[in-house]
Amino acid sequence: WAPFSSLIEQSTCLEKMKYEKNKIDKPLISSDRAEKINQILVNYAGQEVEIKYYYDGYIYTITTTIKRIDKEYKKLVLPSGTLSFKDIIDLTSK
């Protein structure tokens, strides 16, 4: 049975290598885009927003509402957790 357990370990290792290989660098945000994000947050009134954010080498997109904007800790409080301002790549109002 030893060969089968080594295949499982190889599979886990290969998946991890594939995950690490596909990582990208964090994209830079232009001043225009940063201003657009700021305007949406300043004028936010409970509508749904689409947020693109960078986490651990990947870009993710979620559509959600914002519970609270925490200016002190520079985070968005969402129904599913928190998101740091520095991780946000793009923000669009729905």
Side-chain angles (χ1 to χ4, degrees), residues 38-88:
N38 186 49
Q39 286 297 349
I40 291 171
L41 292 176
V42 166
N43 299 319
Y44 182 73
Q47 69 274 22
E48 276 195 343
V49 292
E50 183 178 274
I51 304 171
K52 288 185 182 179
Y53 65 97
Y54 178 84
Y55 177 74
D56 193 32
Y58 289 89
I59 296 175
Y60 299 95
T61 303
I62 57 170
T63 301
T64 187
T65 57
I66 300 171
K67 283 182 157 181
R68 185 169 51 98
I69 300 170
D70 190 343
K71 294 176 187 173
E72 182 179 351
Y73 294 104
K74 298 179 181 172
K75 293 185 178 191
L76 296 179
V77 179
L78 309 172
S80 60
T82 61
L83 184 61
S84 176
F85 288 169
K86 67 180 174 75
D87 295 333
I88 297 172

